[in-house]
Amino acid sequence: MNQLQEYIHINKERFLNELCDLLKIPSISADSSYKPQLLQTAKEVAKALEKAGCKNVQQIPSNGNPVVYADKIIDTSLPTVLVYGHYDVQPADPIDLWDTPPFEPTVKKTDIHPDGAIFARGACDDKGQMFMHIKAIEYLIATNQLPCNVKFMIEGEEEIGSPSLASFIKEHAELFKNDVILISDTGMISNTQPSITTGLRGLSYVEVEVTGPNRDLHSGFYGGAVANPINILSKMITQLHDDNNKITIPGFYDHVYELSEKERTEMAKAPFHQSEYNKALNIDEELGEKGYTTLERSSVRPTLDVNGIWGGYIGEGAKTVLPSKAYAKISMRLVPGQDPDTITQLFTDYFVSIAPKSVKVTVKPHHGGKAYRTPMDSIGYKAAHKAYSETFTNTPIPQPSGGSIPIVSLFSDVFKSHTILMGFGLNSDAIHSPNEHYGLFNFYKGIETIPYFYKHFTDLYKQDA
Ligand code: BES
Ligand code: MN
Ligand code: MN
C-alpha cells in the first residue's frame, strides 16, 4: 500500500460517515419547501471544505441557492484547478419504490458492487462524487502534497438547470478564474474498464399546453364534435418523429456535428453488448434513429423525448369527460452545432404550425444549455488519462455521454479553460431513480485517483510553459 492508499484505508469509515451525514439532508432543489435543507447542506459542505484545510470558505449568495466557494492557493505562479459539483439532488419520488428510505443512507451489497454500495438520493449524483474531491484535497493538504492551487464551486441548483449560475459566474469571474475545471458528476463504463467522459449533450426543455374548449365538457354531449386536446396533443407528438425515428422539426439537424467515419470507428471500440443492454432494461428490442448505433443514439445524436404528459381525469374509476386542456413536458438533447435558443424557437414554430385550428397551443421554454466536448489533446485530458492509469489496471477510454450539465459549455466561454469530466458512477447506479446508489469501490477509487490528476496536470502545465 502506498501512502495515499493507506490514508484512505485508515480513514475509510470516517469518510463514509461524513458522506452519510450529507446524504441525510434532503436538498431537493425542485421543491421550494426544501429551501431550509438546501441552506443547511450548503453550510455542511462549507464546513467540510474548512475541515479539509481549505481557506476563504464562503457561502456566496446567488439569485437562488448559495454557491459554496473555498480555495487553497499555494503559489500564484502555479496553475489553478477549479472543482465544480452540486449539493442539490433530484426529488425522491416515487418513494414507494425505494427499498430503504431515500434520506436514510444504507450500505448494501449488489451483484455489480460486491464490496457494497451506499443507497440514498444523491449518493452518486452528486454528493458522493463531489465529496470525493473534498477528501482528496484533505489528503493532499494534510500530507503537504498539493502541487498547485485549487478552488471549489459547489452549487445548489444543477438539478433544476442552474438558473442562477450563468449570471453568477460572470459576476464572479475573477474569483473563480482557473486553468482547468474538474468535475465528477458523470459515469464510467465499469469498475474494470474506466472511461473519461469526453462530451455532454446540450438541452432544450419545453412545456406545451393545448387548450380546446373553455371548460371540461360532458364527453357524451360534446365528444366527437369538439376537439379533445389530449387526442390532439397525442397526435401532434407522434408527428415529431418520422418512420425512421428522425426528428421532423424543420431545421433541427441543420448544424448538427456529424462524426467522421474515423470517429465512429473509434467509438465503436468501446465495450458494448446490445443483448445485455436490452436484458438489463427488460426490453425485447432497442429503438432509435435509423442508421446509428445504440451508443451513438445515446450520446452523439440529438433526441426528442416526452418526459411527462397529463390532462383529463386520472383518478379512480371512470369519469366521462372531454378535457379543456392537455399538457406535456418535452426535452431535446442537443449535440455540438445546435444552439438551444434556436432549437427552442424551431420547436415552437413547428409545434404551433401543426396544431389544428380547433385548439390553441402555447409553448413555455424551461432551461437549456449547449453541448460540450473535451479536447483530447488538452493537458487536462492527458492528466486525467494518466491518473486513471495509475489507479486502475486498465487504461481509460474516452466516451461521450448522453447526459447534460448545462453550465459546462458556459464555463469554457467565460473562463476560456477546458472541463475534464472524471466521473466514477455507473449507468446501473440508478441516478434520478428509486434506489440510487454509489459503489464504495467507486467512492474510494475516486478519492485515490483525483490526487494523481493534480500531480500530472501540474507537471504537464509546467512542461507546456
Ligand atoms: N450528473 C447529471 C448529468 C450526467 C449524469 C451526465 C451521468 C452524464 C452522465 C446531472 O446532475 C443531471 O442530472 N443533469 C440533467 C440536466 C439538468 C438540467 C437537470 C440531465 O442530464 O438530465
Ligand atoms: Mn449531477
Ligand atoms: Mn442529476
Side-chain angles (χ1 to χ4, degrees):
M1 251 197 245
N2 62 35
Q3 187 193 12
L4 169 58
Q5 288 167 332
E6 207 164 292
Y7 188 86
I8 296 169
H9 184 72
I10 293 167
N11 293 289
K12 247 177 146 94
E13 295 297 314
R14 177 173 63 86
F15 289 177
L16 184 58
N17 290 335
E18 288 173 356
L19 172 60
C20 285
D21 287 341
L22 273 187
L23 291 170
K24 283 177 191 162
I25 320 171
S27 47
I28 304 168
S29 49
D31 184 339
S32 57
S33 66
Y34 287 94
K35 187 84 187 177
Q37 285 84 350
L38 280 140
L39 297 180
Q40 195 195 341
T41 312
K43 197 172 128 194
E44 293 303 324
V45 170
K47 270 202 228 159
L49 284 159
E50 191 104 52
K51 204 176 140 189
C54 287
K55 300 286 176 231
N56 300 315
V57 183
Q58 300 171 51
Q59 297 167 62
I60 310 178
S62 77
N63 292 331
N65 298 323
V67 176
V68 182
Y69 173 86
D71 65 27
K72 181 77 184 174
I73 309 294
I74 57 167
D75 180 344
T76 49
S77 68
L78 289 167
T80 301
V81 176
L82 173 66
V83 176
Y84 164 89
H86 62 95
Y87 65 80
D88 64 321
V89 300
Q90 285 275 325
D93 6 68
I95 300 264
D96 301 351
L97 297 182
W98 284 78
D99 296 328
T100 53
F103 299 104
E104 291 175 27
T106 312
V107 174
K108 279 184 287 183
K109 289 186 166 65
T110 72
D111 290 349
I112 290 176
H113 297 294
D115 299 339
I118 178 157
F119 283 75
R121 169 58 83 234
C124 175
D125 184 11
D126 176 41
K127 286 173 177 168
Q129 297 210 63
M130 172 268 284
F131 200 65
M132 300 180 315
H133 285 273
I134 302 185
K135 294 299 108 179
I137 285 299
E138 175 190 302
Y139 165 77
L140 288 171
I141 295 177
T143 59
N144 231 329
Q145 294 183 74
L146 184 65
C148 61
N149 305 309
V150 60
K151 294 177 178 176
F152 282 84
M153 178 197 287
I154 313 295
E155 70 143 323
E157 300 188 332
E158 196 279 339
E159 297 292 8
I160 52 170
S162 304
S164 314
L165 209 58
S167 61
F168 181 91
I169 60 172
K170 285 175 196 152
E171 193 181 324
H172 299 277
E174 193 53 38
L175 181 65
F176 289 100
K177 202 170 168 265
N178 63 75
D179 297 289
V180 70
I181 298 157
L182 183 58
I183 305 181
S184 295
D185 192 24
T186 56
M188 58 180 187
I189 293 173
S190 75
N191 285 354
T192 48
Q193 181 52 70
S195 54
I196 301 171
T197 305
T198 48
L200 293 166
R201 281 195 285 198
L203 198 58
S204 157
Y205 200 115
V206 296
E207 185 168 326
V208 299
E209 182 186 288
V210 176
T211 308
N214 58 2
R215 58 196 161 90
D216 285 6
L217 303 175
H218 188 290
S219 65
F221 298 164
Y222 292 99
V226 174
N228 178 326
I230 301 182
N231 295 10
I232 302 281
L233 174 58
S234 310
K235 191 172 168 194
M236 289 167 71
I237 286 170
T238 61
Q239 282 169 256
L240 298 173
H241 289 95
D242 69 13
D243 291 343
N244 292 326
N245 286 305
K246 290 218 179 268
I247 295 153
T248 50
I249 300 168
F252 186 85
Y253 292 100
D254 273 3
H255 303 284
V256 163
Y257 175 78
E258 295 281 346
L259 261 61
S260 66
E261 275 316 308
K262 186 165 168 270
E263 285 172 310
R264 294 186 75 182
T265 314
E266 267 316 298
M267 249 192 97
K269 285 183 186 160
F272 177 78
H273 304 283
Q274 189 68 58
S275 58
E276 283 171 27
Y277 181 91
N278 294 2
K279 198 168 153 232
L281 300 175
N282 197 18
I283 54 173
D284 294 331
E285 202 176 83
E286 70 281 9
L287 183 78
E289 186 185 0
K290 194 176 172 186
Y292 295 91
T293 66
T294 295
L295 276 182
E296 290 168 343
R297 289 168 176 172
S298 59
S299 62
V300 295
R301 296 298 299 166
T303 59
L304 182 152
D305 276 291
V306 179
N307 296 263
I309 179 164
W310 70 103
Y313 183 70
I314 52 164
E316 196 183 330
K319 181 188 180 199
T320 51
V321 61
L322 192 163
S324 163
K325 285 177 184 293
Y327 307 83
K329 291 185 194 277
I330 298 174
S331 65
M332 288 161 278
R333 295 280 171 175
L334 312 178
V335 299
Q338 290 181 298
D339 173 66
D341 294 333
T342 309
I343 293 294
T344 301
Q345 194 56 51
L346 291 174
F347 173 91
T348 307
D349 293 346
Y350 182 61
F351 205 66
V352 169
S353 80
I354 60 173
K357 285 209 172 61
S358 50
V359 295
K360 293 177 193 70
V361 173
T362 58
V363 177
K364 188 172 98 184
H366 281 277
H367 48 61
K370 276 192 287 181
Y372 182 74
R373 288 274 182 278
T374 303
M376 285 172 59
D377 56 4
S378 59
I379 59 168
Y381 182 86
K382 288 179 190 160
H385 191 278
K386 282 174 182 267
Y388 285 87
S389 305
E390 303 247 17
T391 57
F392 284 84
T393 37
N394 286 322
T395 54
I397 52 182
Q399 193 169 61
S401 167
S404 310
I405 307 176
I407 201 67
V408 170
S409 70
L410 208 74
F411 279 160
S412 55
D413 297 344
V414 173
F415 299 122
K416 314 277 176 239
S417 51
H418 301 304
T419 292
I420 311 302
L421 299 156
M422 287 177 60
F424 293 90
L426 300 182
N427 274 349
S428 54
D429 287 345
I431 65 168
H432 295 205
S433 297
N435 303 313
E436 173 178 354
H437 54 281
Y438 190 41
L440 294 182
F441 168 86
N442 305 68
F443 178 58
Y444 296 121
K445 204 48 140 182
I447 301 173
E448 187 187 343
T449 308
I450 292 163
Y452 290 104
F453 175 84
Y454 286 91
K455 175 178 179 281
H456 292 300
F457 183 78
T458 309
D459 288 349
L460 291 168
Y461 182 91
K462 286 177 182 166
Q463 281 170 33
D464 233 27

